[in-house]
Amino acid sequence: MEQRKGQRLVLFPFPFQGHINPIIQLGNILHSKGFSITIICTNFNSPNPSNYPDFDFHFINENLSEDEKCNPNIVALIQLINVRCAQPLRDCLAELLSNVSKEPIACLISDFACHFTQAVADELKLKRIVMRTGGATSSSAYAAFPLLREKGYLPLQDSQLEKLVVELAPLRVKDLPLHDSCAPDEYYQLVDDMVNMTRTSSGFILNSFEDLEQPALATLRQEFGIPVFPIGPFHKRFPASLSSLLTQDQSCISWLDKQGPRSVVYVSFGSLTAVYEMELLEIAWGLTNSKQPFLWVVRPGSTINSDWLEAMPKGFLEALDERGCIVMWAPQQEVLAHPAIGAFWTHNGWNSTLESICEGVPMICMPFFMDQRVNARYVTEVWGVGVQLEKRERGMIERVIKGVMMEEEGEEIRGRALILKEKATQCLHEGGSSYQSLDSLVSHISSP
Ligand code: UDX
């Protein structure tokens, strides 16, 4: 812990699990560098303040109805939050700024998705630094949207899905960070707002590291013209378990203790995705037919029109003892570090992708939307640490699982994954790229 700097940082998370974890970790990292930390969060999906006695918490009303909060269209929800939180955040920050009994506020650090916070910070003459919970490659793909529209890749045409995006190779049109359930113009506007408000900010923090995303980081530096700080992987400095919004079921760790080394497929699709009943059946049958033990996170509500496990195939749950373990939510970082895990079947949310890379676990990639598609393409084609599951169909699922768990292809992937794991560890050591970038970030924050 460094000597206190006499400066306060205000962090504003975007209220979803995959965004809360990294920004809370960032708070811990910067607190260890001597800053005082204030977190302003929405009442909705807020982390438990009692887990963070060193942080000062303030809550704002996000002004969303229960229906609006449950909207499965995440893009619509992002837009609403950007409108409804502006006044409450402004009021809360103004009050904090007027409180002279506390250390002065050096800057506001807010999520890339919360583009409205730039205008609020400007109005209050506060420096804003953007925190991106996704990777650098997906960020540079977002920054390329105007070019993609100009070149005719966007709006998306079904006949073009397999086409290579030459300017962003090896991404194909279907790997672009899009969301299917959203009107294209609305989505492009949101992306442009997020990108443009980052350009006008004072700096860009990423949960990534140079060795992983060097070309994209160089593009961002050039495109944005602001300092870029890849200081990840965050969770290797501070784990995220305390910021979990759902209770992590620890019983799966004792189940894993009973399994052979590298024998288990860990299956989890993050905090936001949902599958159709038909897809759930294919996943269940594919897992069964692969004959590999599995640990499967089935989050309540993650099957459309089903509360939890009602849609599972007949007899599947009864026979579970022999083949697998199902939980509502797992201690994921602990699971991925467990010696029994042989592969991670993932939706490629950025946190999951990075957590898997840090443990050298090969991935089976099944992206759903937005940056997950970019991440999956890089996992398979650039870093070579996973395979893409092209169809949610039991025969293909069985073949892909067997390939990764039992065949030479899997061994080769595991070899590359272990090399990448080593790089993810080294960058945090003294003199490593993320270590140095964190020092630069601390100086940047402290400079007037
Ligand atoms: C989303 C996006 O997909 C992601 O790309 C973006 O950058 C942040 O928001 P999400 O879909 O939830 O997040 O996925 P992911 O980024 O992987 O984050 C999930 C987090 O929940 C991870 O930190 C993971 O460790 C944790 N988790 C997941 C658990 O603690 N338990 C579980 O059972 C599953």
Side-chain angles (χ1 to χ4, degrees):
M1 174 78 64
E2 288 189 12
Q3 215 183 346
R4 303 251 58 87
K5 289 198 157 37
Q7 283 181 315
R8 175 164 297 273
L9 307 178
V10 178
L11 274 55
F12 181 65
F14 184 63
F16 292 95
Q17 186 71 76
H19 294 254
I20 291 170
N21 285 354
I23 206 161
I24 292 280
Q25 289 156 3
L26 178 66
N28 276 313
I29 293 168
L30 293 171
H31 185 261
S32 76
K33 288 285 175 187
F35 293 102
S36 298
I37 303 294
T38 293
I39 310 269
I40 302 182
C41 38
T42 54
N43 288 320
F44 157 62
N45 274 353
S46 59
N48 182 353
S50 61
N51 288 332
Y52 303 96
D54 290 334
F55 295 176
D56 177 30
F57 274 83
H58 293 263
F59 296 89
I60 59 168
N61 189 351
E62 64 286 336
N63 298 314
L64 296 174
S65 68
E66 288 311 311
D67 278 354
E68 285 169 336
K69 287 177 203 167
C70 300
N71 189 343
N73 182 347
I74 181 73
V75 176
L77 201 46
I78 297 176
Q79 278 160 325
L80 274 183
I81 288 171
N82 271 286
V83 175
R84 306 270 177 86
C85 289
Q87 188 64 43
L89 181 71
R90 188 179 298 120
D91 294 346
C92 184
L93 273 172
E95 199 180 318
L96 289 174
L97 284 163
S98 66
N99 184 347
V100 286
S101 67
K102 292 237 164 114
E103 302 103 315
I105 298 175
C107 73
L108 169 71
I109 301 181
S110 58
D111 198 293
F112 178 73
C114 299
H115 57 78
F116 77 95
T117 56
Q118 186 61 47
V120 173
D122 287 345
E123 196 183 321
L124 297 171
K125 302 201 172 7
L126 202 54
K127 179 154 93 178
R128 174 192 179 220
I129 297 182
V130 177
M131 145 92 204
R132 168 85 170 125
T133 56
T137 310
S138 60
S139 308
S140 68
Y142 280 136
F145 266 39
L147 177 78
L148 298 174
R149 293 201 294 265
E150 194 188 304
K151 299 259 177 187
Y153 294 108
L154 297 178
L156 204 65
Q157 293 162 47
D158 285 346
S159 59
Q160 304 282 299
L161 292 179
E162 298 295 330
K163 189 174 163 187
L164 182 74
V165 180
V166 181
E167 296 77 1
L168 298 178
L171 297 187
R172 300 157 298 183
V173 170
K174 68 177 182 185
D175 304 315
L176 292 173
L178 298 167
H179 199 295
D180 299 334
S181 61
C182 176
D185 287 340
E186 253 173 77
Y187 186 64
Y188 303 156
Q189 185 60 53
L190 174 67
V191 170
D192 288 350
D193 287 343
M194 294 191 298
V195 167
N196 292 334
M197 290 304 104
T198 300
R199 274 187 228 283
T200 51
S201 74
S202 155
F204 197 33
I205 302 173
L206 288 123
N207 188 8
S208 188
F209 55 99
E210 290 285 347
D211 270 345
L212 188 66
E213 296 194 282
Q214 208 283 324
L217 287 163
T219 306
L220 289 177
R221 288 187 172 107
Q222 198 182 8
E223 286 275 316
F224 287 180
I226 54 171
V228 174
F229 304 101
I231 61 167
F234 293 180
H235 73 282
K236 281 288 157 187
R237 301 180 200 256
F238 287 96
S241 52
L242 291 177
S243 56
S244 190
L245 298 173
L246 296 170
T247 306
Q248 296 181 326
D249 186 340
Q250 290 289 337
S251 70
C252 60
I253 299 294
S254 28
W255 182 84
L256 283 176
D257 290 341
K258 294 189 216 115
Q259 311 303 318
R262 300 209 299 243
S263 66
V264 176
V265 184
Y266 172 55
V267 187
S268 170
F269 307 129
S271 64
L272 295 169
T273 62
V275 295
Y276 290 103
E277 230 174 84
M278 276 306 294
E279 294 175 307
L280 184 86
L281 294 185
E282 295 304 309
I283 294 171
W285 282 119
L287 283 169
T288 305
N289 298 344
S290 78
K291 304 214 166 33
Q292 294 293 311
F294 59 84
L295 166 59
W296 184 3
V297 176
V298 183
R299 190 172 35 81
S302 62
T303 308
I304 294 163
N305 296 329
S306 164
D307 285 335
W308 190 39
L309 300 177
E310 306 85 296
M312 286 290 178
K314 236 178 158 19
F316 179 81
L317 295 174
E318 291 71 11
L320 200 61
D321 269 359
E322 300 147 36
R323 49 170 105 111
C325 173
I326 293 183
V327 291
M328 290 187 179
W329 197 242
Q332 180 162 301
Q333 292 166 19
E334 225 178 305
V335 166
L336 287 168
H338 197 287
I341 296 297
F344 181 13
W345 181 0
T346 170
H347 71 310
N348 288 112
W350 184 246
N351 297 291
S352 294
T353 303
L354 209 52
E355 288 161 14
S356 201
I357 285 174
C358 287
E359 302 308 333
V361 175
M363 282 173 258
I364 296 170
C365 304
M366 189 174 92
F368 287 68
F369 50 71
M370 293 162 98
D371 64 327
Q372 298 160 14
R373 298 174 178 177
V374 178
N375 304 338
R377 185 69 172 162
Y378 266 64
V379 165
T380 56
E381 297 302 308
V382 179
W383 306 317
V385 295
V387 287
Q388 184 116 5
L389 182 75
E390 296 287 353
K391 270 202 204 123
R392 300 174 188 182
E393 180 271 316
R394 66 187 77 177
M396 182 165 282
I397 293 170
E398 180 189 342
R399 280 195 299 284
V400 168
I401 292 179
K402 283 182 173 160
V404 173
M405 297 295 284
M406 300 189 314
E407 290 163 20
E408 204 181 312
E409 179 195 12
E411 272 313 302
E412 287 169 10
I413 291 176
R414 194 161 290 109
R416 288 190 290 269
L418 290 175
I419 295 172
L420 201 52
K421 172 185 175 175
E422 183 56 26
K423 290 181 179 169
T425 310
Q426 287 304 328
C427 69
L428 295 175
H429 290 169
E430 193 169 349
S433 64
S434 293
Y435 183 98
Q436 289 180 351
S437 192
L438 178 58
D439 281 349
S440 311
L441 172 64
V442 170
S443 314
H444 181 69
I445 293 173
S446 303
S447 68

